[in-house]
Amino acid sequence: MKKLNILIANDDGYFAPGIRALAVRLAKDHNVVVVAPKGERSGYAHMVNFFSGITCEKIEMPDGIETYAVDGSPADCVIFAVKHLYKERKFDVVLSGINSVLNIGSDVMYSGTFGAAQEGTFHRIPSIAISLRTRHSDEYGYSAEFIAKNLFELIKYASEDITLNVNIPSPNKENIKGIRVAPVTYRPYNEKYVVRTDENGNEVFFVDGKPDRSCIYDINGDCALSENGYITVTPIRMICNDAEVISAMQSAEFCL
């Protein structure tokens, strides 16, 4: 088995149990480094700090994995690792996760986990986002083992324009019904805003809401399959042009 150079990032922070479990498992067989946010960065999507700058600190972790904490976004971590920290190293794969909640359906638009993986794709490195419905459990062993066992097969399909999004619906193997390759589907939320008052008396609004599970339109999509206990693997194209609409709009009549 070929020993790979693996970069691992996430959006939960370098200390999160999911990233540590994944790094430790893969370090048994490969060369692994972790470059991840200094703190929680969920919902950062593909944001990059172009103007504010970032900082970086090497962290000595009990598991012995070479780790850097970046005060920036998940995507910042990948850029910084590829273009600065390890600019002389060729990474064979970028992994982002294991996230502590699923990133299925249209959630990928917001996901910092997926944003970090897609940044790897942008740099022409096979990249995979990995998420787990933990239900507040710290049991990441099965998920890490699943990735380790299937890593080479997954890499085959993570091309220069495709990021793979892997979602595991349970931390326990006995609850998994199987594995399905599935498309991203629409996942709306029942959202509302909660208002609180800060120390200066200003009203601050926080979004709150849960997925509307009544709106699962495609029984073969990632949302429905995940709800039914299947691990889903979804290939997502980075440059998402719609050739059909481009062709149809050639006859559009615009005014200067």
Side-chain angles (χ1 to χ4, degrees):
M1 181 175 65
K2 177 185 176 184
K3 181 171 280 194
L4 302 177
N5 289 324
I6 301 176
L7 168 63
I8 304 182
N10 73 349
D11 68 358
D12 292 327
Y14 70 90
F15 47 81
I19 198 171
R20 303 321 309 180
L22 183 63
V24 168
R25 172 59 187 88
L26 292 176
K28 293 179 180 179
D29 306 308
H30 305 287
N31 302 316
V32 173
V33 296
V34 169
V35 183
K38 192 173 183 179
E40 172 71 46
R41 299 292 187 273
S42 294
Y44 270 52
H46 205 144
M47 180 194 131
V48 175
N49 285 281
F50 286 120
F51 304 108
S52 59
I54 60 175
T55 61
C56 178
E57 179 185 0
K58 188 171 185 178
I59 307 292
E60 297 297 328
M61 297 298 295
D63 54 36
I65 306 294
E66 189 169 316
T67 298
Y68 287 88
V70 174
D71 190 9
S73 71
D76 281 328
C77 296
V78 175
I79 301 172
F80 192 63
V82 172
K83 294 296 185 179
H84 181 74
L85 286 173
Y86 299 101
K87 61 184 178 182
E88 305 302 328
R89 181 179 302 188
K90 181 184 182 300
F91 286 110
D92 296 297
V93 61
V94 172
L95 302 178
S96 183
I98 301 169
N99 197 54
S100 60
V101 296
L102 295 182
N103 282 300
I104 54 174
S106 40
D107 286 3
V108 297
M109 295 188 300
Y110 310 105
S111 167
T113 302
F114 184 76
Q118 195 172 58
E119 185 61 32
T121 304
F122 185 78
H123 293 284
R124 297 298 190 252
I125 305 169
S127 300
I128 304 164
I130 307 140
S131 301
L132 169 67
R133 180 184 279 134
T134 62
R135 299 194 187 280
H136 307 293
S137 165
D138 280 346
E139 297 177 24
Y140 290 87
Y142 168 67
S143 300
E145 188 63 32
F146 173 83
I147 296 300
K149 288 168 59 177
N150 292 281
L151 186 57
F152 286 95
E153 189 66 17
L154 291 166
I155 289 173
K156 288 181 187 177
Y157 301 97
S159 70
E160 291 185 350
D161 192 40
I162 300 293
T163 307
L164 292 186
N165 191 38
V166 177
N167 283 283
I168 303 170
S170 172
N172 302 312
K173 184 178 180 179
E174 57 268 26
N175 295 333
I176 302 297
K177 292 183 179 178
I179 305 162
R180 295 288 186 271
V181 177
V184 170
T185 46
Y186 179 51
R187 192 189 198 209
Y189 280 73
N190 294 314
E191 293 171 318
K192 62 181 179 180
Y193 276 85
V194 177
V195 61
R196 299 171 188 164
T197 304
D198 67 13
E199 64 274 11
N200 298 316
N202 300 310
E203 289 186 334
V204 183
F205 297 87
F206 295 86
V207 67
D208 183 40
K210 295 182 178 180
D212 183 353
R213 290 189 168 85
S214 67
C215 293
I216 296 179
Y217 305 115
D218 185 351
I219 60 172
N220 296 310
D222 62 344
C223 292
L225 288 168
S226 180
E227 288 291 329
N228 289 319
Y230 289 93
I231 294 172
T232 59
V233 181
T234 302
I236 300 175
R237 189 171 295 279
M238 182 173 62
I239 306 299
C240 46
N241 293 316
D242 191 309
E244 185 178 344
V245 176
I246 289 173
S247 177
M249 288 187 70
Q250 300 307 314
S251 60
E253 298 181 1
F254 298 109
C255 297
L256 287 174

